[in-house]
Amino acid sequence: MKMEKNGTAEIRVDGKTLTYPVYEGTEGERAIDISKLRKETGLITYDSGFMNTGSCASDITFIDGEKGILRYRGYDVADLAEKCEFIEVAYLLVHGSLPTAVQKDRYSQLLNQHSMIHEDMKDFFSNYPEHSHPMAILSAMAVSLSSFYPELGQDVKEDLDMTVTRLISKLRTIAAFSYKKSIGEPTIYPRHDLKYCENFLNMMFSSPVRKEPINPVMADALNKLLIIHADHEQNCSTSVVRGVGSSGINLYASIAAGICALWGPRHGGANQHVIEMLEEIYREGGDVSKVIERAKNPRSPFRLMGFGHRVYKSYDPRAKIAKELCKKVIAATNTKDPLLDIAQELEERALNDSYFQERNLYPNVDFYTGLTYREMGIPTNMFTVMFAIGRLPGWIAQWLEMNNSETPIARPRQVYTGPNLRKVTPIAKRK
Ligand code: SDX
């Protein structure tokens, strides 16, 4: 869908008034098109961190950060999480519409057909040191897929469909294999008789000597967790996927770059850091005040993990879903996790503190997801991998949209602040 022209904006530069078109999206978001600004004035816009810059027009995901709304292809995320399986949402993001029952069955079969990875790729796992972070393995394996499955034609739809299916199916297998490697157990192959989430849980928790029954509450929780992570418009890793892809490189390489971007603690890596923060509070006696004070201290680089968001200035709708899921999974396991009590107290204290209120800092998606994964038996260093499996269909959909729309290569400008021209002093004379 194209943006509609709706008005103009005047910019006064050096005594001259220039007029630029204003475009409007389907939900009323308006943007000044300044693409001719530099040509006409010699000026560029300065927008560190792209806080006010729309890098593309997109049909995929809509967020209203003030109202706490998140929709994929027009469907509310809570509605999707309640009524759909993850592979339906993956289909929706990639193909633009929800599958019919027949399409879903066919898609499920296709994903199963492509769930194995080349046997030679398995050797890679044995050569990583024992404590390798699974995100490092995941990104390296994602780009390695381009060597093992190279028959990819970027302009041929059937080839691209095959690549997309392979990625969605195989990344889950790679994730489970990387976990097995980290605990020194043999890998468990995917099974054709299991659904996407059940298959993943089986590869994670069964072993050649022990068939672990799949708890339907866990499979349902995993489905929902993957759905709430499935896309989030132009976040850091998605912008990286689009940016890398705009150079003309293949989908596997672009996804590998996205995985690396997601790993950072200010992005998807925060889910791991939330648990580490809660564990630290627990070890030190359970008092949340110290952490709150540290997060508020302008001289400390520490941030309250799982709090704050570039777009949401209200409660992240995904955090609401994750919080309820977390309680459901804890109830199903019949356990009592002291970290949940600490998390809830931390949330309440922060939401009633003027520092967090004035800055509109609320729990984000990462605040309760880690706790839920932990209850499901997924180890802390796998949390960001779980985020990546969920985000994959979103990255793919965004990459395809970029690839179909002849996007120019991503190439921001800069304001240079380094030294002016100077002469090289011969090395013997340098002090
Ligand atoms: C994800 O963008 C996406 O869509 C990402 C994501 C997705 O689905 O792809 O939603 C996933 O990345 C979630 C975010 C996970 N990260 C964390 O939980 C790490 C902690 N959060 C922050 O580092 C921070 O809130 C960011 C990085 C998420 C957002 O940063 P912004 O928009 O650049 O805001 P900012 O850092 O400029 O903060 C504005 C003010 C600052 O205070 P002042 O300088 O104005 O006094 O709020 C303060 C910040 O210091 N602040 C925090 C805080 N987050 C912001 N203070 C304490 N604790 C925090 N968590």
Side-chain angles (χ1 to χ4, degrees), residues 67-125:
K67 295 189 185 138
I69 291 172
L70 169 61
R71 296 181 200 142
Y72 307 151
R73 305 267 188 201
Y75 297 103
D76 187 78
V77 70
D79 199 17
L80 290 167
E82 194 192 316
K83 298 178 188 150
C84 296
E85 286 177 25
F86 174 62
I87 65 158
E88 293 170 66
V89 174
Y91 187 100
L92 168 72
L93 286 166
V94 172
H95 297 279
S97 57
L98 282 167
T100 61
V102 173
Q103 285 168 329
K104 184 190 155 195
D105 282 351
R106 209 181 302 137
Y107 194 49
S108 183
Q109 281 169 20
L110 206 61
L111 289 171
N112 270 336
Q113 273 167 28
H114 291 283
S115 57
M116 300 261 278
I117 56 169
H118 196 292
E119 273 300 293
D120 291 349
M121 275 190 92
K122 273 186 66 191
D123 294 342
F124 291 180
F125 289 96

Side-chain angles (χ1 to χ4, degrees), residues 51 232 235 265-268 270 295 303-310 318 355-356 359 361 364-366 387 391:
M51 306 238 187
H232 215 234
N235 60 83
R266 287 199 273 174
H267 192 13
R303 295 278 170 274
L304 199 58
M305 285 290 129
F307 253 77
H309 198 273
R310 171 64 59 82
R318 303 165 300 174
Y355 172 95
F356 293 89
R359 290 167 181 77
L361 302 170
N364 61 49
V365 67
D366 290 319
F387 194 146
R391 182 54 53 87

Side-chain angles (χ1 to χ4, degrees), residues 40 86 233 381:
E40 290 177 354
F86 174 62
E233 50 121 300
N381 67 355

